[in-house]
Amino acid sequence: MTGGRFDIHQHITDQILALLDQATVDDFRLPWHGAASATMRPANIASNKAYRGINVLALWAAAEEKGYSSGIWGTYRQWAGAKAQVRKGEKATFVVFYKEVTVSGDHADETETRAFARATPVFSAEQVDGWTPPAPEAPQPIPTSPIDEAETFIAATGASIVHGGLKAFYRRSTDSIHIPPREAFTGTETSSPAQSYYSVLLHELTHWTSHESRCNRQLGKRFGDDAYAMEELVAELGAAFLCADLGIASQPRLDHAQYLKHWLRVMQADKKAIFTAASKASEATAFLSSLQKPDYVRLNSP
């Protein structure tokens, strides 16, 4: 709360901080590694469109905390429009939308446009009565599996990918992605070796979008000495968003435990930091999606 008003930036930041604070080196699970984020981005019941940016994290975090698995959300009125009723006593989860407003500038004849955050309460499908999920659509002819889809998605970007060595990284000087051989990856309780491989590759592909010829991501202007750690957070989120879109389990990377204290410190000092990271991750995934063939975009658009 700030000045008696509900502060949506602080509210969502505190929500993410609470979950980040639970992560340890021995059990490095972040809010976007939970079961709720394993299969899809959260979507709106009225528009059928996926949420973007910070709202993805806020809804994933709420779903993980409360055990929701449907991934479908909507306002009280939107659920009523779907012939469903939010149950009495259910508590809302807040998402944020920005509205541009024209205000007066420093001089009488000047105006400027500012974006104001608006908190919107939404409810999960698990919080309503009278709604039945629609029957799944007939399978599309392509792609044939999440792994095939990931391969097609990555190939369409045209990124230079070099296999070999023991570490995965994006080398800006040569504009190339380096990743260990596929056979070097192992599976976990929740993912196959192939899924682990693609999860890491999608992380590096998000780094690849930072190049000045693509998204031109320059976090140093905002985060100074913490820019490198924040770029890792952008890539973490970008990979999580892409894994959800592609139906691949997003895997925690233990080497990112070293960044945890940086992320916590930055978010504690700057309530909009996680919003910026999530926004940059959404920009990166949107750019990568724009490189796909028309058929892929048509079949995979929300």
Side-chain angles (χ1 to χ4, degrees):
M1 299 287 287
T2 301
R5 297 180 60 187
F6 180 70
D7 188 336
I8 184 60
H9 293 111
Q10 193 65 60
H11 174 80
I12 292 180
T13 295
D14 289 345
Q15 182 184 22
I16 303 301
L17 277 172
L19 292 174
L20 283 177
D21 201 41
Q22 298 173 17
T24 65
V25 174
D26 295 328
D27 184 21
F28 191 62
R29 285 174 56 82
L30 300 175
W32 46 92
H33 294 145
S37 60
T39 56
M40 63 178 293
R41 293 202 214 191
N44 181 266
I45 182 63
S47 67
N48 198 35
K49 291 184 177 180
Y51 288 91
R52 293 173 54 83
I54 192 64
N55 291 333
V56 180
L57 297 187
L59 296 178
W60 272 348
E64 186 70 13
E65 178 187 358
K66 299 172 183 177
Y68 301 150
S69 60
S70 69
I72 305 300
W73 298 78
T75 64
Y76 188 96
R77 181 175 296 180
Q78 287 173 335
W79 280 117
K83 310 299 183 185
Q85 176 64 50
V86 176
R87 288 191 293 274
K88 186 176 181 179
E90 291 287 352
K91 293 184 178 180
T93 297
F94 287 93
V95 293
V96 60
F97 293 100
Y98 290 91
K99 181 179 181 180
E100 290 190 347
V101 177
T102 301
V103 298
S104 299
D106 295 333
H107 303 285
D109 59 344
E110 292 182 348
T111 61
E112 59 184 46
T113 300
R114 295 181 183 176
F116 288 87
R118 182 180 66 184
T120 301
V122 294
F123 300 87
S124 169
E126 283 85 351
Q127 296 177 279
V128 308
D129 293 320
W131 181 74
T132 302
E137 297 180 1
Q140 299 287 357
I142 56 173
T144 58
S145 75
I147 299 303
D148 290 339
E149 185 173 2
E151 190 67 34
T152 299
F153 184 94
I154 293 166
T157 67
S160 173
I161 301 173
V162 180
H163 288 85
L166 301 176
K167 295 183 178 180
F169 58 92
Y170 165 63
R171 177 175 288 157
R172 196 176 185 87
S173 62
T174 57
D175 193 26
S176 56
I177 293 171
H178 296 253
I179 189 168
R182 294 172 192 252
E183 56 270 21
F185 289 82
T186 59
T188 68
E189 293 181 359
T190 58
S191 71
S192 66
Q195 286 181 316
S196 296
Y197 166 80
Y198 283 108
S199 178
V200 172
L201 185 48
L202 291 169
H203 175 101
E204 301 307 332
L205 193 62
T206 305
H207 279 312
W208 179 79
T209 67
S210 67
H211 193 274
E212 57 267 20
S213 65
R214 301 180 192 105
C215 294
N216 192 24
R217 202 159 49 247
Q218 299 181 32
L219 298 178
K221 294 181 179 179
R222 170 74 181 278
F223 297 108
D225 293 341
D226 289 307
Y228 186 86
M230 293 306 292
E231 170 62 21
E232 287 300 321
L233 180 56
V234 172
E236 267 274 342
L237 298 179
F241 294 168
L242 291 170
C243 283
D245 291 344
L246 296 167
I248 291 174
S250 177
Q251 293 302 302
R253 290 181 56 166
L254 295 180
D255 58 327
H256 282 170
Q258 63 183 304
Y259 299 118
L260 187 58
K261 63 180 181 181
H262 294 275
W263 297 341
L264 287 168
R265 185 180 69 247
V266 172
M267 282 183 245
Q268 287 166 349
D270 181 354
K271 64 185 178 183
K272 295 184 180 179
I274 187 64
F275 286 72
T276 298
S279 176
K280 295 297 184 183
S282 277
E283 288 177 7
T285 59
F287 174 81
L288 294 169
S289 293
S290 74
L291 302 178
Q292 306 304 306
K293 295 179 180 179
D295 281 349
Y296 176 91
V297 176
R298 176 178 57 81
L299 292 174
N300 291 275
S301 296

